[in-house]
Amino acid sequence: MIIRFVKLEIRKEHIEDFKILTKNEKTDILAFEGCSYLQVLQDQNNPSVFFTVSHWKSESALNIYRKSDFFRGNWSQVKQWFANKPQAWSLA
């Protein structure tokens, strides 16, 4: 199993947009084969900072998701809201 952490810093004017988008798309992401868990967390001291935590059956399942049309469409929307470059870690 792969546990994926992604740190995102969202510009202040898009925090609510990001929260709505992630809430609405959580079910779609969990429907991808190999994804068994997804949570989006907001830093309590800096509301612009979010972490996503997801569990994937394998790195190949994660990569299939990352290459999907769904992810590319989502990412193209969200990256316009970034205040800084995102960071990601995959842990076993």
Coordinates of all heavy atoms in Angstrom, one line a residue:
M1 N 0.8 -1.2 0.0 CA 0.0 0.0 0.0 C 0.9 1.2 0.0 O 1.9 1.3 0.6 CB -0.9 0.0 1.2 CG -1.8 1.3 1.3 SD -3.0 1.3 2.6 CE -1.9 1.6 4.0
I2 N 0.4 2.3 -0.7 CA 1.1 3.6 -0.8 C 0.2 4.6 0.0 O -1.0 4.6 -0.3 CB 1.3 4.0 -2.2 CG1 2.1 3.1 -3.0 CG2 1.8 5.4 -2.3 CD1 3.6 3.0 -2.6
I3 N 0.8 5.3 0.8 CA 0.1 6.5 1.5 C 0.7 7.7 0.9 O 1.9 7.9 0.9 CB 0.3 6.5 3.0 CG1 -0.3 5.2 3.6 CG2 -0.4 7.7 3.6 CD1 0.0 5.0 5.0
R4 N -0.1 8.5 0.3 CA 0.3 9.7 -0.5 C -0.1 11.0 0.3 O -1.3 11.2 0.6 CB -0.4 9.7 -1.8 CG 0.0 10.9 -2.7 CD 1.3 10.7 -3.4 NE 1.4 11.7 -4.4 CZ 2.5 11.8 -5.2 NH1 3.5 11.0 -5.0 NH2 2.5 12.7 -6.1
F5 N 0.9 11.8 0.6 CA 0.6 13.1 1.2 C 1.0 14.2 0.2 O 2.0 14.1 -0.4 CB 1.6 13.3 2.4 CG 1.3 12.5 3.6 CD1 1.9 11.2 3.7 CD2 0.4 12.9 4.6 CE1 1.6 10.4 4.8 CE2 0.1 12.1 5.7 CZ 0.7 10.8 5.8
V6 N 0.1 15.1 0.0 CA 0.3 16.2 -0.9 C 0.0 17.5 -0.1 O -1.0 17.7 0.5 CB -0.5 16.2 -2.1 CG1 -0.2 17.4 -3.0 CG2 -0.3 14.9 -2.9
K7 N 1.0 18.4 -0.1 CA 0.9 19.7 0.6 C 0.6 20.8 -0.5 O 1.4 20.9 -1.4 CB 2.1 20.1 1.4 CG 2.0 21.4 2.1 CD 3.4 21.8 2.7 CE 3.3 23.2 3.4 NZ 4.6 23.6 3.9
L8 N -0.5 21.5 -0.3 CA -0.9 22.5 -1.2 C -1.1 23.8 -0.5 O -1.7 23.9 0.6 CB -2.2 22.2 -1.9 CG -2.3 20.8 -2.6 CD1 -3.7 20.4 -2.8 CD2 -1.5 20.8 -3.9
E9 N -0.6 24.9 -1.0 CA -0.8 26.2 -0.5 C -1.7 27.0 -1.5 O -1.3 27.2 -2.7 CB 0.4 27.0 -0.2 CG 0.2 28.3 0.5 CD 1.4 29.0 1.0 OE1 2.5 28.4 1.0 OE2 1.2 30.2 1.5
I10 N -2.9 27.3 -1.1 CA -3.9 28.0 -1.9 C -3.9 29.4 -1.6 O -3.9 29.9 -0.5 CB -5.3 27.3 -1.7 CG1 -5.2 25.8 -1.9 CG2 -6.3 27.9 -2.6 CD1 -4.8 25.3 -3.3
R11 N -4.0 30.2 -2.7 CA -4.2 31.7 -2.5 C -5.4 32.0 -1.7 O -6.5 31.3 -1.9 CB -4.2 32.4 -3.8 CG -2.8 32.4 -4.6 CD -2.7 33.3 -5.7 NE -3.9 33.5 -6.5 CZ -4.1 32.8 -7.7 NH1 -3.1 32.0 -8.2 NH2 -5.2 33.0 -8.4
K12 N -5.4 32.9 -0.8 CA -6.5 33.2 0.1 C -7.8 33.4 -0.6 O -8.9 32.9 -0.1 CB -6.2 34.5 0.9 CG -5.1 34.2 2.0 CD -4.9 35.5 2.8 CE -3.9 35.3 3.9 NZ -2.7 34.5 3.8
E13 N -7.8 34.0 -1.8 CA -9.1 34.3 -2.5 C -9.7 33.0 -3.0 O -10.9 33.0 -3.5 CB -8.9 35.4 -3.5 CG -8.0 35.0 -4.7 CD -6.6 35.4 -4.5 OE1 -6.1 35.6 -3.3 OE2 -5.9 35.5 -5.5
H14 N -9.0 31.9 -3.0 CA -9.5 30.7 -3.6 C -9.7 29.5 -2.6 O -9.9 28.4 -2.9 CB -8.6 30.2 -4.7 CG -8.7 31.1 -5.9 ND1 -9.9 31.1 -6.7 CD2 -7.9 32.0 -6.5 CE1 -9.7 32.0 -7.7 NE2 -8.5 32.5 -7.5
I15 N -9.5 29.8 -1.3 CA -9.6 28.8 -0.3 C -11.0 28.2 -0.3 O -11.1 26.9 -0.3 CB -9.3 29.4 1.1 CG1 -7.8 29.7 1.3 CG2 -9.8 28.4 2.2 CD1 -7.4 30.4 2.5
E16 N -12.0 29.0 -0.3 CA -13.4 28.4 -0.4 C -13.7 27.6 -1.7 O -14.3 26.6 -1.6 CB -14.5 29.5 -0.2 CG -14.5 30.0 1.3 CD -14.7 28.9 2.3 OE1 -15.6 28.0 2.2 OE2 -13.9 28.9 3.3
D17 N -13.1 28.1 -2.8 CA -13.3 27.4 -4.1 C -12.6 26.0 -3.9 O -13.2 25.0 -4.4 CB -12.6 28.1 -5.2 CG -13.2 29.5 -5.5 OD1 -14.4 29.6 -5.3 OD2 -12.4 30.4 -5.8
F18 N -11.4 26.0 -3.3 CA -10.7 24.7 -3.2 C -11.5 23.7 -2.3 O -11.6 22.6 -2.6 CB -9.3 24.9 -2.6 CG -8.5 23.7 -2.4 CD1 -8.0 23.0 -3.5 CD2 -8.4 23.2 -1.1 CE1 -7.2 21.9 -3.3 CE2 -7.6 22.0 -0.9 CZ -7.1 21.4 -2.0
K19 N -12.0 24.2 -1.2 CA -12.8 23.4 -0.2 C -14.0 22.8 -0.9 O -14.3 21.6 -0.7 CB -13.2 24.2 1.0 CG -12.0 24.5 1.9 CD -12.3 25.5 2.9 CE -12.7 25.0 4.2 NZ -12.9 26.0 5.3
I20 N -14.7 23.6 -1.7 CA -15.9 23.1 -2.4 C -15.5 22.1 -3.4 O -16.2 21.0 -3.5 CB -16.7 24.3 -3.0 CG1 -17.3 25.2 -2.0 CG2 -17.7 23.8 -4.0 CD1 -17.8 26.5 -2.5
L21 N -14.5 22.4 -4.2 CA -14.1 21.4 -5.2 C -13.7 20.1 -4.6 O -14.1 19.0 -5.1 CB -12.9 22.0 -6.0 CG -12.3 21.1 -7.1 CD1 -13.3 21.1 -8.3 CD2 -11.0 21.6 -7.6
T22 N -12.9 20.1 -3.6 CA -12.4 18.8 -3.0 C -13.6 18.1 -2.4 O -13.6 16.8 -2.4 CB -11.3 19.0 -2.0 OG1 -11.7 20.0 -1.0 CG2 -10.0 19.5 -2.7
K23 N -14.5 18.8 -1.7 CA -15.6 18.1 -1.1 C -16.5 17.4 -2.2 O -16.9 16.3 -2.1 CB -16.5 19.1 -0.4 CG -17.7 18.5 0.3 CD -18.5 19.6 1.0 CE -19.8 18.9 1.6 NZ -20.6 19.9 2.3
N24 N -16.7 18.1 -3.3 CA -17.5 17.6 -4.4 C -16.9 16.5 -5.2 O -17.6 15.6 -5.8 CB -17.9 18.7 -5.4 CG -18.9 19.7 -4.8 OD1 -19.6 19.4 -3.8 ND2 -19.0 20.9 -5.3
E25 N -15.6 16.4 -5.2 CA -14.9 15.4 -6.0 C -14.4 14.2 -5.2 O -13.8 13.2 -5.7 CB -13.8 16.0 -6.8 CG -14.3 17.0 -7.8 CD -13.3 17.5 -8.8 OE1 -12.1 17.4 -8.5 OE2 -13.7 18.0 -9.9
K26 N -14.5 14.2 -3.9 CA -14.0 13.2 -3.0 C -14.6 11.8 -3.4 O -13.8 10.8 -3.6 CB -14.3 13.4 -1.5 CG -13.7 12.4 -0.6 CD -14.0 12.8 0.8 CE -13.3 11.7 1.7 NZ -13.4 12.1 3.2
T27 N -15.8 11.7 -3.6 CA -16.5 10.4 -4.0 C -15.9 9.9 -5.4 O -15.6 8.7 -5.5 CB -18.0 10.6 -4.1 OG1 -18.5 11.0 -2.8 CG2 -18.7 9.3 -4.5
D28 N -15.7 10.8 -6.3 CA -15.1 10.4 -7.6 C -13.7 9.9 -7.5 O -13.4 8.9 -8.1 CB -15.1 11.6 -8.6 CG -16.5 12.1 -8.9 OD1 -17.4 11.3 -9.0 OD2 -16.7 13.3 -9.1
I29 N -12.9 10.5 -6.6 CA -11.5 10.0 -6.4 C -11.5 8.7 -5.7 O -10.8 7.7 -6.1 CB -10.7 11.0 -5.6 CG1 -10.6 12.3 -6.4 CG2 -9.3 10.5 -5.3 CD1 -10.0 13.5 -5.7
L30 N -12.4 8.5 -4.7 CA -12.5 7.2 -4.0 C -13.0 6.1 -4.9 O -12.8 4.9 -4.7 CB -13.4 7.3 -2.8 CG -12.7 8.1 -1.6 CD1 -13.8 8.4 -0.6 CD2 -11.6 7.2 -1.0
A31 N -13.7 6.4 -6.0 CA -14.2 5.4 -7.0 C -13.1 4.9 -7.9 O -13.3 3.8 -8.5 CB -15.3 6.0 -7.8
F32 N -11.9 5.5 -7.9 CA -10.8 5.0 -8.7 C -10.3 3.7 -8.1 O -10.2 3.6 -6.9 CB -9.7 6.0 -8.8 CG -9.8 7.0 -9.9 CD1 -10.6 8.1 -9.8 CD2 -9.2 6.8 -11.1 CE1 -10.7 9.0 -10.8 CE2 -9.3 7.7 -12.2 CZ -10.1 8.8 -12.0
E33 N -10.1 2.8 -9.0 CA -9.6 1.4 -8.6 C -8.3 1.6 -7.8 O -7.4 2.3 -8.3 CB -9.5 0.5 -9.7 CG -9.1 -0.9 -9.3 CD -9.1 -1.9 -10.5 OE1 -9.7 -1.6 -11.5 OE2 -8.5 -2.9 -10.3
G34 N -8.2 1.1 -6.6 CA -7.0 1.1 -5.9 C -7.0 2.2 -4.8 O -6.1 2.2 -4.0
C35 N -7.9 3.1 -4.8 CA -8.0 4.2 -3.8 C -8.9 3.8 -2.7 O -10.1 3.5 -3.0 CB -8.4 5.5 -4.4 SG -8.4 6.9 -3.2
S36 N -8.4 3.6 -1.5 CA -9.3 3.2 -0.4 C -9.5 4.2 0.7 O -10.3 4.0 1.6 CB -8.7 1.9 0.3 OG -7.4 2.3 0.8
Y37 N -8.9 5.4 0.6 CA -9.0 6.4 1.6 C -8.6 7.8 1.0 O -7.6 7.8 0.3 CB -8.1 6.1 2.8 CG -8.1 7.1 3.9 CD1 -9.1 7.1 4.9 CD2 -7.1 8.0 4.0 CE1 -9.1 8.0 5.9 CE2 -7.1 9.0 5.0 CZ -8.1 8.9 6.0 OH -8.1 9.8 7.0
L38 N -9.3 8.8 1.4 CA -8.9 10.2 1.0 C -9.4 11.1 2.1 O -10.6 11.1 2.5 CB -9.5 10.5 -0.3 CG -9.4 12.0 -0.8 CD1 -7.9 12.3 -1.0 CD2 -10.2 12.3 -2.0
Q39 N -8.5 12.0 2.5 CA -8.9 13.0 3.4 C -8.2 14.3 3.0 O -7.0 14.3 2.6 CB -8.5 12.7 4.9 CG -9.1 13.6 5.9 CD -8.9 13.1 7.3 OE1 -8.1 12.2 7.6 NE2 -9.6 13.6 8.2
V40 N -8.9 15.4 3.2 CA -8.3 16.8 2.9 C -8.3 17.5 4.2 O -9.4 17.6 4.9 CB -9.1 17.5 1.9 CG1 -8.5 18.9 1.6 CG2 -9.2 16.8 0.5
L41 N -7.1 18.0 4.6 CA -7.0 18.6 5.9 C -6.5 20.0 5.7 O -5.7 20.3 4.8 CB -6.0 17.8 6.8 CG -6.3 16.4 7.0 CD1 -5.1 15.7 7.6 CD2 -7.5 16.3 8.0
Q42 N -7.0 20.9 6.6 CA -6.6 22.4 6.5 C -5.8 22.7 7.7 O -6.2 22.4 8.8 CB -7.8 23.2 6.4 CG -7.5 24.7 6.2 CD -8.8 25.5 6.0 OE1 -9.9 25.1 6.4 NE2 -8.7 26.7 5.3
D43 N -4.6 23.3 7.5 CA -3.8 23.7 8.7 C -4.5 24.7 9.6 O -5.1 25.7 9.1 CB -2.5 24.4 8.1 CG -1.5 24.7 9.2 OD1 -1.7 25.6 10.0 OD2 -0.5 24.0 9.3
Q44 N -4.5 24.4 10.8 CA -5.3 25.3 11.8 C -4.6 26.6 12.0 O -5.3 27.6 12.4 CB -5.5 24.6 13.1 CG -4.3 24.3 13.9 CD -4.7 23.5 15.2 OE1 -5.8 23.1 15.4 NE2 -3.7 23.4 16.1
N45 N -3.3 26.8 11.8 CA -2.6 28.0 12.0 C -2.5 28.9 10.7 O -2.3 30.1 10.8 CB -1.3 27.8 12.6 CG -1.4 27.2 14.0 OD1 -2.2 27.7 14.8 ND2 -0.6 26.2 14.3
N46 N -2.5 28.2 9.6 CA -2.4 28.9 8.3 C -3.5 28.3 7.4 O -3.3 27.3 6.7 CB -1.0 28.7 7.7 CG -0.8 29.4 6.4 OD1 -1.8 29.9 5.8 ND2 0.4 29.4 5.9
P47 N -4.6 29.0 7.3 CA -5.7 28.4 6.5 C -5.5 28.3 5.0 O -6.2 27.7 4.3 CB -6.9 29.4 6.8 CG -6.2 30.6 7.3 CD -4.9 30.2 7.9
S48 N -4.4 28.8 4.5 CA -4.0 28.6 3.1 C -3.4 27.3 2.8 O -3.2 26.9 1.6 CB -3.1 29.8 2.6 OG -3.7 31.0 2.6
V49 N -2.9 26.6 3.8 CA -2.2 25.3 3.7 C -3.1 24.2 3.9 O -3.9 24.1 4.9 CB -1.0 25.2 4.6 CG1 -0.3 23.9 4.6 CG2 0.0 26.3 4.3
F50 N -3.1 23.3 2.9 CA -3.9 22.0 2.9 C -3.0 20.8 2.7 O -2.0 20.9 2.0 CB -5.0 22.0 1.8 CG -6.1 23.0 2.0 CD1 -5.9 24.4 1.6 CD2 -7.3 22.7 2.6 CE1 -6.9 25.3 1.8 CE2 -8.3 23.6 2.8 CZ -8.1 24.9 2.4
F51 N -3.4 19.7 3.2 CA -2.8 18.4 3.0 C -3.9 17.5 2.5 O -4.9 17.4 3.1 CB -2.1 17.9 4.2 CG -0.9 18.6 4.6 CD1 -0.9 19.7 5.4 CD2 0.4 18.1 4.2 CE1 0.2 20.4 5.8 CE2 1.5 18.8 4.6 CZ 1.4 19.9 5.4
T52 N -3.5 16.7 1.5 CA -4.4 15.6 1.1 C -3.7 14.3 1.5 O -2.4 14.3 1.4 CB -4.7 15.5 -0.4 OG1 -3.5 15.4 -1.2 CG2 -5.5 16.8 -0.8
V53 N -4.4 13.4 2.1 CA -3.8 12.1 2.5 C -4.7 11.1 1.8 O -5.9 11.0 1.9 CB -3.9 11.9 4.0 CG1 -3.3 10.6 4.4 CG2 -3.3 13.1 4.7
S54 N -4.0 10.2 1.0 CA -4.8 9.2 0.3 C -4.0 7.8 0.4 O -2.8 7.8 0.5 CB -5.0 9.5 -1.2 OG -3.8 9.8 -1.9
H55 N -4.8 6.8 0.4 CA -4.2 5.4 0.4 C -4.5 4.7 -0.9 O -5.7 4.7 -1.4 CB -4.9 4.6 1.5 CG -4.6 5.1 2.9 ND1 -5.1 4.5 4.0 CD2 -3.9 6.2 3.4 CE1 -4.7 5.1 5.1 NE2 -4.0 6.2 4.7
W56 N -3.5 4.2 -1.5 CA -3.5 3.5 -2.8 C -3.0 2.1 -2.7 O -2.0 1.8 -2.0 CB -2.7 4.3 -3.8 CG -3.3 5.6 -4.0 CD1 -3.1 6.8 -3.3 CD2 -4.3 6.0 -5.0 NE1 -3.8 7.8 -3.8 CE2 -4.6 7.4 -4.8 CE3 -5.0 5.3 -6.0 CZ2 -5.6 8.0 -5.6 CZ3 -5.9 5.9 -6.7 CH2 -6.2 7.3 -6.6
K57 N -3.7 1.2 -3.4 CA -3.3 -0.2 -3.4 C -1.8 -0.4 -3.8 O -1.1 -1.2 -3.3 CB -4.2 -1.0 -4.3 CG -3.9 -2.5 -4.4 CD -4.9 -3.1 -5.4 CE -4.6 -4.5 -5.6 NZ -5.5 -5.1 -6.6
S58 N -1.4 0.4 -4.8 CA 0.0 0.3 -5.3 C 0.4 1.6 -6.0 O -0.5 2.5 -6.2 CB 0.0 -0.8 -6.3 OG -0.8 -0.5 -7.5
E59 N 1.6 1.7 -6.3 CA 2.1 2.9 -7.0 C 1.5 2.9 -8.4 O 1.2 4.0 -8.9 CB 3.6 2.9 -7.1 CG 4.2 4.2 -7.6 CD 5.7 4.3 -7.5 OE1 6.3 3.4 -7.0 OE2 6.2 5.3 -8.0
S60 N 1.3 1.8 -9.0 CA 0.7 1.8 -10.4 C -0.7 2.3 -10.3 O -1.2 3.0 -11.2 CB 0.8 0.4 -11.0 OG 0.1 -0.6 -10.3
A61 N -1.5 1.9 -9.3 CA -2.9 2.4 -9.1 C -2.9 4.0 -9.0 O -3.7 4.7 -9.6 CB -3.6 1.8 -8.0
L62 N -1.9 4.5 -8.2 CA -1.8 5.9 -8.0 C -1.4 6.6 -9.4 O -2.0 7.6 -9.8 CB -0.7 6.3 -7.0 CG -0.3 7.7 -6.9 CD1 -1.5 8.6 -6.5 CD2 0.8 7.9 -5.9
N63 N -0.5 6.0 -10.1 CA -0.1 6.5 -11.4 C -1.2 6.5 -12.4 O -1.3 7.4 -13.3 CB 1.1 5.8 -11.9 CG 2.4 6.3 -11.1 OD1 2.4 7.3 -10.6 ND2 3.4 5.4 -11.1
I64 N -2.1 5.5 -12.4 CA -3.2 5.4 -13.3 C -4.1 6.6 -13.0 O -4.6 7.3 -14.0 CB -3.9 4.1 -13.2 CG1 -3.1 3.0 -13.8 CG2 -5.3 4.1 -13.9 CD1 -3.6 1.5 -13.6
Y65 N -4.4 6.8 -11.8 CA -5.2 8.0 -11.4 C -4.5 9.3 -11.8 O -5.2 10.2 -12.4 CB -5.4 8.0 -9.9 CG -5.9 9.3 -9.4 CD1 -7.2 9.7 -9.6 CD2 -5.1 10.2 -8.6 CE1 -7.7 11.0 -9.2 CE2 -5.6 11.4 -8.2 CZ -6.8 11.8 -8.4 OH -7.3 13.0 -8.0
R66 N -3.2 9.4 -11.6 CA -2.5 10.7 -12.0 C -2.5 10.9 -13.5 O -2.4 12.1 -13.9 CB -1.1 10.7 -11.4 CG -1.1 10.7 -9.9 CD 0.3 10.7 -9.3 NE 1.0 11.9 -9.7 CZ 2.3 11.9 -10.0 NH1 3.0 10.8 -9.9 NH2 2.9 13.0 -10.4
K67 N -2.7 9.9 -14.3 CA -2.7 10.0 -15.7 C -4.1 10.1 -16.3 O -4.2 10.2 -17.5 CB -1.9 8.9 -16.4 CG -0.4 8.9 -16.1 CD 0.3 7.7 -16.6 CE 1.7 7.7 -16.2 NZ 2.4 6.5 -16.6
S68 N -5.1 10.1 -15.4 CA -6.5 10.1 -15.9 C -6.9 11.5 -16.4 O -6.4 12.5 -15.9 CB -7.4 9.6 -14.8 OG -7.5 10.6 -13.8
D69 N -7.9 11.5 -17.2 CA -8.5 12.7 -17.6 C -9.1 13.5 -16.5 O -9.0 14.7 -16.4 CB -9.6 12.5 -18.7 CG -9.1 12.0 -20.0 OD1 -7.9 12.3 -20.3 OD2 -9.8 11.4 -20.8
F70 N -9.7 12.7 -15.5 CA -10.3 13.3 -14.3 C -9.2 14.1 -13.6 O -9.4 15.3 -13.2 CB -10.9 12.3 -13.4 CG -11.4 12.8 -12.1 CD1 -12.7 13.4 -12.0 CD2 -10.6 12.8 -11.0 CE1 -13.1 13.9 -10.8 CE2 -11.0 13.4 -9.8 CZ -12.3 13.9 -9.7
F71 N -8.1 13.5 -13.3 CA -7.0 14.2 -12.5 C -6.5 15.4 -13.3 O -6.3 16.5 -12.7 CB -5.9 13.2 -12.2 CG -4.7 13.9 -11.5 CD1 -4.7 14.1 -10.2 CD2 -3.6 14.3 -12.3 CE1 -3.7 14.8 -9.5 CE2 -2.5 15.0 -11.6 CZ -2.6 15.2 -10.3
R72 N -6.2 15.2 -14.6 CA -5.7 16.3 -15.4 C -6.7 17.5 -15.4 O -6.2 18.7 -15.3 CB -5.4 15.9 -16.8 CG -4.1 15.0 -16.9 CD -3.6 14.9 -18.3 NE -4.6 14.2 -19.1 CZ -4.6 12.9 -19.5 NH1 -3.6 12.2 -19.1 NH2 -5.5 12.4 -20.3
G73 N -8.0 17.3 -15.5 CA -8.9 18.3 -15.4 C -9.0 19.0 -14.1 O -9.0 20.3 -14.0
N74 N -9.0 18.2 -13.0 CA -8.9 18.7 -11.7 C -7.7 19.6 -11.4 O -7.7 20.7 -10.9 CB -9.1 17.6 -10.7 CG -9.0 18.0 -9.2 OD1 -7.9 18.5 -8.8 ND2 -10.1 17.8 -8.5
W75 N -6.5 19.0 -11.8 CA -5.3 19.6 -11.5 C -5.1 20.9 -12.3 O -4.6 21.9 -11.7 CB -4.1 18.7 -11.8 CG -2.8 19.1 -11.2 CD1 -1.7 19.5 -11.9 CD2 -2.4 19.0 -9.9 NE1 -0.7 19.8 -11.0 CE2 -1.1 19.5 -9.8 CE3 -3.1 18.6 -8.7 CZ2 -0.4 19.6 -8.6 CZ3 -2.4 18.7 -7.5 CH2 -1.1 19.2 -7.4
S76 N -5.6 21.0 -13.5 CA -5.5 22.2 -14.3 C -6.3 23.3 -13.6 O -6.0 24.5 -13.7 CB -6.0 22.0 -15.7 OG -7.3 21.8 -15.8
Q77 N -7.4 23.0 -13.0 CA -8.2 24.0 -12.2 C -7.5 24.4 -11.0 O -7.3 25.6 -10.7 CB -9.6 23.4 -11.9 CG -10.5 24.3 -11.0 CD -10.9 25.6 -11.8 OE1 -11.3 25.5 -12.9 NE2 -10.6 26.7 -11.2
V78 N -7.1 23.5 -10.2 CA -6.5 23.8 -8.9 C -5.2 24.5 -9.0 O -4.9 25.4 -8.2 CB -6.3 22.5 -8.0 CG1 -5.6 22.7 -6.8 CG2 -7.7 21.9 -7.7
K79 N -4.4 24.1 -10.0 CA -3.0 24.8 -10.1 C -3.1 26.3 -10.3 O -2.2 27.0 -10.0 CB -2.1 24.1 -11.1 CG -2.5 24.3 -12.5 CD -1.5 23.5 -13.4 CE -1.8 23.6 -14.8 NZ -0.8 22.9 -15.6
Q80 N -4.2 26.7 -10.8 CA -4.4 28.2 -11.0 C -4.5 28.9 -9.6 O -4.4 30.1 -9.5 CB -5.6 28.5 -11.8 CG -5.6 27.9 -13.2 CD -6.9 28.1 -13.9 OE1 -7.5 29.2 -13.9 NE2 -7.4 27.1 -14.5
W81 N -4.9 28.1 -8.6 CA -5.1 28.7 -7.3 C -3.9 28.6 -6.3 O -3.9 29.1 -5.2 CB -6.3 28.0 -6.6 CG -7.6 28.0 -7.3 CD1 -7.9 28.9 -8.3 CD2 -8.7 27.1 -7.2 NE1 -9.2 28.7 -8.8 CE2 -9.7 27.6 -8.1 CE3 -8.9 26.0 -6.4 CZ2 -10.9 26.9 -8.3 CZ3 -10.1 25.3 -6.6 CH2 -11.1 25.8 -7.5
F82 N -2.8 28.0 -6.8 CA -1.6 27.7 -6.0 C -0.9 29.0 -5.6 O -0.7 29.9 -6.4 CB -0.6 26.9 -6.6 CG -1.0 25.4 -6.8 CD1 -0.4 24.6 -7.8 CD2 -2.0 24.8 -6.1 CE1 -0.7 23.3 -8.0 CE2 -2.4 23.5 -6.2 CZ -1.7 22.8 -7.2
A83 N -0.5 29.1 -4.3 CA 0.3 30.2 -3.9 C 1.8 29.8 -3.9 O 2.6 30.7 -4.0 CB -0.1 30.6 -2.4
N84 N 2.0 28.6 -3.9 CA 3.4 28.0 -3.9 C 3.3 26.6 -4.7 O 2.2 26.1 -4.8 CB 4.0 27.8 -2.5 CG 4.4 29.1 -1.9 OD1 5.2 29.9 -2.5 ND2 4.0 29.4 -0.7
K85 N 4.5 26.2 -5.1 CA 4.6 24.9 -5.7 C 4.2 23.8 -4.7 O 4.6 23.8 -3.6 CB 6.0 24.6 -6.2 CG 6.2 23.4 -6.9 CD 7.6 23.2 -7.4 CE 7.8 21.9 -8.1 NZ 9.2 21.7 -8.6
P86 N 3.3 22.9 -5.1 CA 2.9 21.8 -4.2 C 4.1 20.8 -4.0 O 5.0 20.7 -4.7 CB 1.8 21.1 -5.0 CG 1.9 21.4 -6.4 CD 2.6 22.8 -6.5
Q87 N 3.9 20.1 -2.9 CA 4.9 19.1 -2.5 C 4.2 17.8 -2.3 O 3.1 17.8 -1.8 CB 5.7 19.5 -1.2 CG 6.4 20.8 -1.3 CD 7.1 21.2 0.0 OE1 6.4 21.2 1.0 NE2 8.3 21.5 0.0
A88 N 4.8 16.7 -2.6 CA 4.2 15.4 -2.5 C 5.1 14.3 -2.0 O 6.3 14.4 -2.3 CB 3.6 14.9 -3.8
W89 N 4.6 13.4 -1.2 CA 5.4 12.3 -0.7 C 4.6 11.0 -0.8 O 3.4 11.0 -0.5 CB 5.7 12.5 0.8 CG 6.5 13.7 1.1 CD1 7.9 13.8 1.2 CD2 6.0 15.0 1.4 NE1 8.2 15.1 1.5 CE2 7.1 15.9 1.6 CE3 4.7 15.6 1.4 CZ2 6.9 17.2 1.9 CZ3 4.5 16.9 1.7 CH2 5.7 17.7 1.9
S90 N 5.2 10.0 -1.3 CA 4.6 8.6 -1.3 C 5.3 7.8 -0.3 O 6.5 7.6 -0.4 CB 4.6 8.0 -2.7 OG 3.8 8.8 -3.6
L91 N 4.6 7.2 0.6 CA 5.2 6.4 1.7 C 4.6 5.0 1.7 O 3.4 4.8 1.4 CB 5.0 7.1 3.1 CG 5.4 8.5 3.2 CD1 4.8 9.1 4.5 CD2 6.9 8.7 3.1
A92 N 5.5 4.0 2.0 CA 5.0 2.7 2.0 C 4.8 2.2 3.4 O 5.4 2.7 4.3 CB 6.0 1.8 1.3

